[in-house]
Amino acid sequence: MFRFTASPPLALYVHLPWCVRKCPYCDFNSHALRGELPATAYVDALLADVLREIKHIHEREISSVFFGGGTPSLFPPAALARLLEGLQRYLRIAADCEITLEANPGSVDQARFEDFRSAGVNRLSIGVQSFQADSLHRLGRIHGPQAAVAAVETAHAAGFDNFNIDLMYGLPNQGRPAAVADITQAIALAPPHISHYQLTLEPNTAFAARPPALPEDDAIYAMQIDCQTRLAGAGYQHYEVSAYALRDRRCRHNLNYWSFGDYLGIGAGAHGKVTDLDKGKITRYEKLARPMAYIREATAGEAVAKSHQLSAQDAVLEFMMNALRLPEGVPRKLCTARTGLPWVCFEAAVDDARNRGWLDITADDRVRPTALGMRFLNNLLGCFLPPD
């Protein structure tokens, strides 16, 4: 049984699963839209779903909301407004709640961004991925370089002072100059936040079935270092493996994940994590993945596909898998507060990682990956895996 002294922060994730076309690298629960978007029925299902979740959170406050997908910006702003109004009725939404909407350059214009802002969205995450036409083509994106630039300029014009650009590197046939050109273009557009991900070939994707030619590992690392240098020079703080932000523009929702906070998940295929102080347990769950089955079951009051309680070993590993993505690390006391476990459950693995030069405990008692540990993060996390 876990022993908690306080509930972790609580966020809300809302999955909107439809997109115009499935990208070959995408392993998310996303579905190419065929026919009319069932926006009304889906919002009804989401509101029914959140009503089902209320009993698990005991009126705790929601600190952030994230609309992910799929392509959430395909939804009519009026549908998002109705959903947010419903969430405000059913949940305790913080007055300063960060509310993020993922948007693709191929599905937005200024009026639509302005309507999303009026509906209550106060942060955007724009899926640019690259500003190079050949890279966008290889990635299966529906937009071109001009549309990518226009989407960011439109976010500025629509009054968003908090938004993210998603970029990828290590792309098929990509060289260092192209990767650096992408990050240089992104910086020139002055987004408050940039996410810079290495492309990986995930199972059950078109790229996994037919792998493209990717750069060698050393070339990818060189791209990463070049881009990090330019980001740092432009004032972007590297606060997570793939996340860079200007002052006070770190993504609160993602920081909640990385610090092992709780989150409700509603929508087709959404995942959630809830801590129960009274019963001393941590539960993870996921919702039905197929959108129409989800609509049917959620509307009827049932949408959970499966759930399980974390063991102590699960909790240690999952906490570290998230917290060690943060170059600044986390206070040692957070390890025990968020897992409900004594430090002795972490100690042997932490000592092993420290002996290998991958982990450090700082003078102010933070558990922090070293520069070597950040470079070889999977090796570092291996210290926390159960023995074979």
Side-chain angles (χ1 to χ4, degrees):
M1 181 175 179
F2 303 104
R3 298 184 182 277
F4 302 100
T5 57
S7 295
L10 180 65
L12 172 65
Y13 176 76
V14 184
H15 194 69
L16 306 177
W18 290 280
C19 51
V20 174
R21 182 171 66 201
K22 180 85 170 179
C23 295
Y25 59 85
C26 178
D27 68 334
F28 296 148
N29 183 41
S30 58
H31 304 265
L33 182 62
R34 295 179 175 86
E36 187 176 351
L37 183 73
T40 299
Y42 196 71
V43 169
D44 289 343
L46 290 170
L47 292 174
D49 195 0
V50 82
L51 276 173
R52 182 186 181 282
E53 296 294 334
I54 287 174
K55 63 177 179 285
H56 301 300
I57 61 171
H58 308 294
E59 298 187 355
R60 291 162 61 188
E61 186 175 75
I62 301 293
S63 59
S64 64
V65 178
F66 195 101
F67 294 100
T71 305
S73 53
L74 286 177
F75 270 67
L80 265 293
R82 184 166 76 91
L83 175 56
L84 282 166
E85 288 167 3
L87 295 176
Q88 291 277 3
R89 286 198 305 272
Y90 301 146
L91 299 170
R92 287 185 57 218
I93 306 292
D96 64 343
C97 186
E98 176 191 88
I99 302 176
T100 303
L101 177 79
E102 289 186 336
N104 281 356
S107 62
V108 292
D109 54 37
Q110 184 170 338
R112 198 171 184 85
F113 271 168
E114 289 172 349
D115 287 345
F116 284 135
R117 190 164 175 266
S118 296
V121 174
N122 54 32
R123 183 177 183 274
L124 296 172
S125 184
I126 304 172
V128 169
Q129 313 311 351
S130 176
F131 292 98
Q132 311 293 319
D134 55 345
S135 290
L136 290 169
H137 176 73
R138 293 188 186 105
L139 291 172
R141 305 297 288 173
I142 65 171
H143 65 273
Q146 292 82 8
V149 171
V152 179
E153 292 175 339
T154 296
H156 280 297
F160 282 97
D161 62 357
N162 193 10
F163 64 89
N164 168 63
I165 289 178
D166 266 345
L167 282 179
M168 302 174 79
Y169 67 99
L171 305 179
N173 300 317
Q174 186 182 48
R176 285 170 67 179
V180 170
D182 273 346
I183 210 72
T184 301
Q185 174 68 85
I187 291 169
L189 291 168
H193 191 287
I194 296 174
S195 296
H196 193 228
Y197 302 98
Q198 180 185 337
L199 173 65
T200 55
L201 304 185
E202 301 293 345
N204 303 315
T205 63
F207 271 2
R210 297 177 297 280
L214 299 182
E216 297 293 330
D217 288 346
D218 287 348
I220 291 174
Y221 183 63
M223 291 179 196
Q224 177 187 334
I225 296 302
D226 281 353
C227 292
Q228 286 178 346
T229 300
R230 282 159 176 76
L231 285 161
Y236 289 88
Q237 299 171 343
H238 185 198
Y239 73 98
E240 189 268 344
V241 167
S242 303
Y244 304 80
L246 298 178
R247 184 183 178 92
D248 299 327
R249 284 296 182 253
R250 298 182 178 193
C251 178
R252 275 191 265 160
H253 188 85
N254 286 342
L255 278 170
N256 186 57
Y257 291 144
W258 297 323
S259 59
F260 210 52
D262 281 353
Y263 52 98
L264 301 180
I266 62 172
H271 290 239
K273 168 188 170 282
V274 177
T275 300
D276 189 320
L277 267 65
D278 296 334
K279 295 181 180 178
K281 65 180 184 180
I282 304 172
T283 302
R284 285 200 178 275
Y285 62 84
E286 64 179 273
K287 301 297 173 68
L288 291 168
R290 302 299 301 180
M292 300 316 293
Y294 169 81
I295 289 174
R296 182 176 63 253
E297 295 299 320
T299 304
E302 295 292 338
V304 174
K306 57 184 177 181
S307 65
H308 69 279
Q309 293 181 26
L310 298 192
S311 66
Q313 199 169 63
D314 292 335
V316 170
L317 176 60
E318 291 191 17
F319 178 89
M320 287 299 183
M321 285 179 66
N322 286 283
L324 294 182
R325 294 181 63 86
L326 303 171
E328 298 172 357
V330 294
R332 178 157 49 167
K333 64 184 179 181
L334 193 71
C335 303
T336 55
R338 293 289 165 85
T339 63
L341 297 169
W343 178 248
V344 68
C345 294
F346 295 83
E347 200 163 24
V350 167
D351 288 345
D352 181 22
R354 292 178 75 186
N355 290 335
R356 295 170 186 267
W358 295 335
L359 194 63
D360 193 16
I361 295 182
T362 65
D364 59 350
D365 212 32
R366 297 181 71 85
V367 181
R368 183 181 68 187
T370 63
L372 188 65
M374 288 297 292
R375 182 174 180 184
F376 298 103
L377 188 57
N378 287 338
N379 300 74
L380 168 55
L381 292 175
C383 295
F384 297 90
L385 290 170
D388 292 334

